[in-house]
Amino acid sequence: MAERTIIVRVPTTSANLGPGFDSLGVALDWVAHFTFQFEDHRAPDPVDPVERMAAQAVAALYDAAGETLGGVRVGCHGDMPVGRGLGMSAAARAAGLVAANAMLGNRVSLDDLLPMAWRLEGHGDNIVPALLGGLQIVADDEGSPIHVPIAVPEDLRLALLIPEFDMPTHESRQRLPESISRNQAVHNIGRAALIVGAITQRRYDVLRVATEDILHQPARSTLFPAMYPIFEAARAAGAHGVYLSGGGSTIAAFVSG
């Protein structure tokens, strides 16, 4: 096999949207570019963790297809920060699967790649919009991924505040409560449903309430004490609703534009 280069563009993503923990995610306009150089001979494993995840996704699809992978060199290009709640691990895995599928002759559709992508990433709220785009509702049905896209009005935007410190997802998840009360569950279920209705019906006036969360954001605020004051400042400046993107530290605000 002669050396072949494939370039994949993948959107960064914002997950949870406040109350939709592990069940709501949206693709952003901010795009990461991954370069894959496929070679006949084994290449050294990437040092960069994002590039390594992309290479591992390539190897996973080759293995599933029963094909032999020679070697692959990966480069990630752009200014997308890692560990800020913008889905860079999902972007890397989506890019690796798309590149491998292209090398194998595009044997499967993006929807058919989704189960493997979900397994590699561990949850769907970032990987589904990274792979398929748009705003997605996601659920895991006993190992089978389910997703439903939501149309986003053209006049609704997300404004991002990206702090200069990271909040690795595995670390911030360790702060989450092991159990919640029935009232807390009802609080988040109602608001997760409300945010879908608010977006689809252009009821931006209820996004302030719809983005409220008591399942994961209070625990994560212990790593980010300024989070709630920033929320208040964003709302005072005219944001419809504000939330912690993914596991943080990026803060996302719904605005009209």
Side-chain angles (χ1 to χ4, degrees):
M1 178 186 75
E3 181 180 306
R4 181 176 175 185
T5 299
I6 292 178
I7 299 174
V8 182
R9 298 170 67 249
V10 185
T12 53
T13 52
S14 179
N16 300 332
L17 279 65
F21 181 67
D22 281 0
S23 60
L24 290 173
V26 62
L28 305 175
D29 291 337
W30 203 355
V31 176
H33 293 76
F34 288 84
T35 301
F36 298 84
Q37 291 182 323
F38 289 83
E39 304 172 348
D40 288 327
H41 305 290
R42 178 176 173 79
D45 292 334
V47 175
D48 178 83
V50 171
E51 294 173 355
R52 187 163 57 248
M53 284 186 281
Q56 290 168 346
V58 170
L61 187 58
Y62 265 74
D63 183 64
E67 299 287 349
T68 300
L69 174 65
V72 61
R73 298 179 186 271
V74 183
C76 179
H77 314 283
D79 56 355
M80 293 67 59
V82 178
R84 309 293 174 83
L86 294 172
M88 280 304 295
S89 65
R93 288 169 172 134
L97 291 176
V98 169
N101 193 38
M103 281 296 295
L104 296 171
N106 289 314
R107 299 180 185 180
V108 296
S109 67
L110 291 180
D111 267 317
D112 290 333
L113 286 176
L114 187 55
M116 178 177 290
W118 196 310
R119 288 195 298 272
L120 290 172
E121 178 65 11
H123 43 271
D125 51 351
N126 285 117
I127 195 64
V128 176
L131 198 59
L132 303 178
L135 174 57
Q136 300 278 348
I137 306 172
V138 304
D140 184 351
D141 180 22
E142 297 182 354
S144 297
I146 297 174
H147 68 94
V148 176
I150 304 171
V152 179
E154 293 183 359
D155 63 339
L156 188 63
R157 297 285 188 269
L158 281 176
L160 304 180
L161 171 67
I162 306 174
E164 294 184 353
F165 64 91
D166 60 7
M167 289 173 61
T169 302
H170 70 276
E171 185 176 322
S172 64
R173 276 183 178 260
Q174 291 177 355
R175 301 287 182 113
L176 304 187
E178 292 292 333
S179 61
I180 60 173
S181 70
R182 182 193 311 172
N183 286 342
Q184 289 173 317
V186 169
H187 177 284
N188 264 57
I189 290 169
R191 281 156 177 78
L194 187 62
I195 198 169
V196 173
I199 291 172
T200 57
Q201 300 300 313
R202 289 184 165 87
R203 286 292 308 276
Y204 305 154
D205 58 304
V206 299
L207 281 173
R208 178 188 181 100
V209 174
T211 50
E212 292 175 347
D213 163 84
I214 56 175
L215 176 58
H216 69 102
Q217 291 185 162
R220 284 169 163 157
S221 71
T222 61
L223 295 171
F224 190 178
M227 186 185 80
Y228 284 118
I230 293 172
F231 282 9
E232 288 300 322
R235 286 190 284 258
H240 301 303
V242 194
Y243 65 91
L244 184 70
S245 179
S249 58
T250 295
I251 290 175
F254 283 107
V255 297
S256 295

